[in-house]
């Protein structure tokens, strides 16, 4: 059999019938290069959002999960069918298969988590007939049932990576609306450098902290299956100039500096809010109660600042979660004398990510210098072994990001 390659095409790659035809031509070129293509497709453009809106409006609220999953899955069904037709139009035989037809099973306790692909033989059978396989992304069935489920955000990426792993492939290709992973968002910092190669660990940190190219759970699956991921600009949008390879790296840091792996990136999270709880008595049960009351809130970060027999806690969350967080905290705070609670809104988090950060303190000082040179006040600082988070006001984002990119050589001066 020919070399198999899994290619995932996102919704922005398939938004119109004309773009479908361009994707079909790209798949034909893959065949002509001597490879056997498997195309994993998302729903066209914003079709998933439209389907969800239609169902929720019709129901008058949030309908049963099983019902909305079945509706959402039709978006990928349509894409797969149309791309298969586009391939037949140009003379390439193709077969479309749904998630349930290939036996993509999800965890009964977590509908978004892939357990296995039970019927990978069905895909191999299509390829053995010298036909292209077009697979619906984003959908599967709950393990040991026939109930259709969907995989959540990044679901088609998960499908492509899981397929590559089940087939024992070394890598898969993700075609999207950006030409790879950039050191910092190029929409905010013009001429930002593209990262030619990024480790799984660094990409997970960037994704967790706001980078939107790939979901962190997609990269985690790729790392677990040891599948390299090549992120490229979709051929239906423009010609890709290289993209970014996301892979493991087993060498030491000195090797990493000369291997071509990129070592520094900046992730941006906007629309954040902060909760500051101050003058808290130094008793461990209070900290436990504070964070216990926030167990249903997705926190971005938190820092505890001790002072004599008291301490303060700085909590960072998405602005949409601020009201719920304050509602959960208020009964507890009122029960503790002298404790004060305040909140800040319109905040942005800038996170510097680098596996080399452990080598010395210069990253923190250079980061602070960049903020000083941009005349940006810092609301909060938090750091770990490989990350530094600076929280600033939303309106200062661009000047802060540009200054930071220049300080760490993250812009391409040749552009």
């Amino acid at each position: 059999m020919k070399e198999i390659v899994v290619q995932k095409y996102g919704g922005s790659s398939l938004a119109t019938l004309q773009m479908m035809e361009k994707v079909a031509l790209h798949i034909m070129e893959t065949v002509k290069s001597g490879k056997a293509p498997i195309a994993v497709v998302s729903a066209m453009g914003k079709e998933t959002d439209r389907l969800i809106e239609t169902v929720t409006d019709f129901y008058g609220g949030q309908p049963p999960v099983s019902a909305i999953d079945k509706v959402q899955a039709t978006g990928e069904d349509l894409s797969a069918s149309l791309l298969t037709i586009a391939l037949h139009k140009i003379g390439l035989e193709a077969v479309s298969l749904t998630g349930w037809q290939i036996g993509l099973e999800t965890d009964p306790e977590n509908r978004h988590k892939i357990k296995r692909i039970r019927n990978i033989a069905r895909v191999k059978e299509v390829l053995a007939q010298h036909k292209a396989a077009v697979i619906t992304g984003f959908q599967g069935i709950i393990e040991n049932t026939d109930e259709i489920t969907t995989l959540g955000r990044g679901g088609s990426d998960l499908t492509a990576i899981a397929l590559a792993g089940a087939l024992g492939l070394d890598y898969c290709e993700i075609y999207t609306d950006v030409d790879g992973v950039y050191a910092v968002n190029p929409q905010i910092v013009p001429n930002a450098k593209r990262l030619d190669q990024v480790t799984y660990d660094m990409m997970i940190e960037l994704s967790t902290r706001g980078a939107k190219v790939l979901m962190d759970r997609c990269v985690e699956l790729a790392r677990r299956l040891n599948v390299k991921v090549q992120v490229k600009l979709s051929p239906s949008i423009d010609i890709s100039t290289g993209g970014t390879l996301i892979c493991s790296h087993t060498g030491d840091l000195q090797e990493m500096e000369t291997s071509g792996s990129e070592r520094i990136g900046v992730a941006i999270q906007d629309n954040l809010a902060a909760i500051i709880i101050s003058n808290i008595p130094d008793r461990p049960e209070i900290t436990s109660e504070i964070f216990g009351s926030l167990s249903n809130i997705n926190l971005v970060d938190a820092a505890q600042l001790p002072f004599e027999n008291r301490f303060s806690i700085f909590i960072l969350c998405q602005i949409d979660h601020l009201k719920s967080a304050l509602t959960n905290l208020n009964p507890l705070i009122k029960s503790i004398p002298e404790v004060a609670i305040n909140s800040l809104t319109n905040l942005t988090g800038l996170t510097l990510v680098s596996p080399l950060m452990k080598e010395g303190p210069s990253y923190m000082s250079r980061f602070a210098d960049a903020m000083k040179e941009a005349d940006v006040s810092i609301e909060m600082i938090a750091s770990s072994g490989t990350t530094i988070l600076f929280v600033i006001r939303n309106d200062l984002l661009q000047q802060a990001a540009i200054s930071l990119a220049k300080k760490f050589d993250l812009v391409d001066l040749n552009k």
Side-chain angles (χ1 to χ4, degrees), residues 18 28 37 46 77 90 130 164 197 207 239 297 331 384 386 405 411:
Q18 291 74 26
M28 176 66 90
K46 301 294 184 181
D77 291 344
I90 60 174
H130 306 290
Q197 187 172 333
S207 299
I239 299 173
I297 305 294
S384 67
T386 57
V411 290

Side-chain angles (χ1 to χ4, degrees), residues 189-306:
V189 179
N191 300 333
K193 286 182 177 179
R194 188 184 63 215
L195 306 180
D196 295 328
Q197 187 172 333
V198 182
T199 64
Y200 294 128
D201 291 346
M202 182 171 168
M203 192 66 231
I204 289 169
E205 286 282 8
L206 288 169
S207 299
T208 301
R209 297 290 183 166
K212 296 179 172 62
V213 178
L214 278 178
M215 296 287 291
D216 54 342
R217 67 194 187 109
C218 299
V219 187
E220 287 168 355
L221 179 64
R223 180 177 63 182
R224 179 162 64 84
L225 298 177
N226 197 27
V227 172
K228 300 181 183 72
V229 179
Q230 184 80 44
V231 180
K232 295 182 177 181
L233 183 65
S234 172
S236 63
I237 297 174
D238 205 345
I239 299 173
S240 178
T241 57
T244 299
L245 182 68
I246 302 167
C247 57
S248 65
H249 196 285
T250 56
D252 60 26
L253 294 179
Q254 185 176 0
E255 289 177 352
M256 193 173 185
E257 291 193 42
T258 58
S259 69
S261 287
E262 302 295 337
R263 305 181 303 282
I264 300 175
V266 175
I268 298 170
Q269 290 172 290
D270 55 8
N271 296 317
L272 300 180
I275 301 170
I276 304 99
I277 309 170
S278 54
N279 206 32
I280 306 169
D282 190 7
R283 301 201 307 268
E285 67 272 14
I286 295 179
T287 302
S288 175
E289 289 173 359
I290 287 173
F291 286 103
S293 69
L294 299 173
S295 60
N296 63 335
I297 305 294
N298 186 18
L299 302 182
V300 174
D301 217 317
Q304 183 169 312
L305 310 172

Side-chain angles (χ1 to χ4, degrees), residues 161-179:
I161 293 165
L163 271 168
L167 289 163
L169 304 183
D170 186 49
Y171 77 104
C172 73
E173 299 172 349
I174 304 288
Y175 289 94
T176 183
D177 55 2
V178 292
D179 197 15

